[in-house]
Amino acid sequence: NGALISFRNGLNQNGLDFVTQLTLKIDLCRAHMRLKHHFEARTIASDVLDMISDDTEHDPADFSEAERSARYIRGNAVRESIDHGVGTKDLVRARKDLLRSLQNTQTGSNRDLDEGTVAVGAILELDTALGRITPEEAVHRIEETLRVANVGLEEGTLEDETRRAWSWWCLFGARIA
């Protein structure tokens, strides 16, 4: 894929500052997720989180968006791999990642809020896989939540990205059922 090559070429440039490296790696993670390269997305997201935690030159608060994105991507990469034999430890960490991504959500950012909507649904799927709730309970919660979202849709108050975020809940329900 051309995007993967471009991001890798960018990362191979000499003299990249820390912020540019983080940005390119997050974009590379997102590209891998879109291509369903879950292992690669998860690995690079973990690298981003390690870079942030190991950095001593910057204020970690300056990278809350990068951390939020990396946790969101890593958590969803694991969730997408549930059918491929992901262990309980990985599922628990994915759930924690998604919860932490929600904690870092910027209320003024539509992208963050839409990803937050997806993260909540993803946590339901992980909770089902972990046996914290039954599939029936999860599907019921999804149905109830989608009823509320439908009101916004009927009133015309949902933007396209938000509609797309809610459509993920239908996929979560199908995967859980």
Side-chain angles (χ1 to χ4, degrees):
N1 183 311
L4 296 178
I5 293 168
S6 294
F7 290 129
R8 286 189 188 121
N9 285 341
L11 285 165
N12 287 330
Q13 300 298 310
N14 292 326
L16 290 179
D17 63 65
F18 188 75
V19 174
T20 302
Q21 286 181 27
L22 285 179
T23 302
L24 286 171
K25 285 188 177 194
I26 290 295
D27 290 343
L28 180 59
C29 285
R30 289 186 186 285
H32 277 298
M33 280 299 287
R34 285 185 190 102
L35 294 168
K36 301 197 180 301
H37 301 165
H38 303 124
F39 178 79
E40 293 84 350
R42 179 178 170 185
T43 302
I44 297 165
S46 293
D47 185 44
V48 166
L49 293 169
D50 289 343
M51 285 175 65
I52 292 169
S53 72
D54 293 345
D55 180 65
T56 57
E57 296 180 27
H58 303 92
D59 182 358
D62 293 340
F63 305 111
S64 63
E65 173 59 23
E67 179 185 356
R68 186 201 62 75
S69 293
R71 290 189 182 285
Y72 174 82
I73 292 165
R74 186 169 73 177
N76 274 301
V78 170
R79 181 196 54 74
E80 286 279 353
S81 303
I82 287 174
D83 295 337
H84 303 292
V86 176
T88 302
K89 180 180 170 184
D90 289 328
L91 294 173
V92 168
R93 184 169 90 170
R95 186 180 191 281
K96 287 179 183 176
D97 278 340
L98 290 167
L99 286 170
R100 294 268 308 269
S101 78
L102 287 170
Q103 291 171 340
N104 289 342
T105 296
Q106 304 294 318
T107 55
S109 165
N110 281 343
R111 179 185 193 151
D112 281 11
L113 292 175
D114 294 339
E115 287 187 354
T117 300
V118 173
V120 172
I123 290 167
L124 272 175
E125 185 175 351
L126 289 167
D127 282 349
T128 305
L130 288 165
R132 293 180 180 201
I133 59 173
T134 67
E136 293 79 18
E137 289 174 288
V139 169
H140 177 72
R141 288 184 192 178
I142 289 168
E143 289 172 342
E144 289 299 313
T145 304
L146 286 174
R147 278 191 197 96
V148 172
N150 192 48
V151 170
L153 182 62
E154 289 174 359
E155 293 174 354
T157 58
L158 297 182
E159 295 180 20
D160 287 343
E161 288 298 317
T162 305
R163 289 179 191 159
R164 199 169 300 130
W166 284 114
S167 69
W168 273 96
W169 280 61
C170 297
L171 295 172
F172 297 139
R175 287 174 50 104
I176 290 168

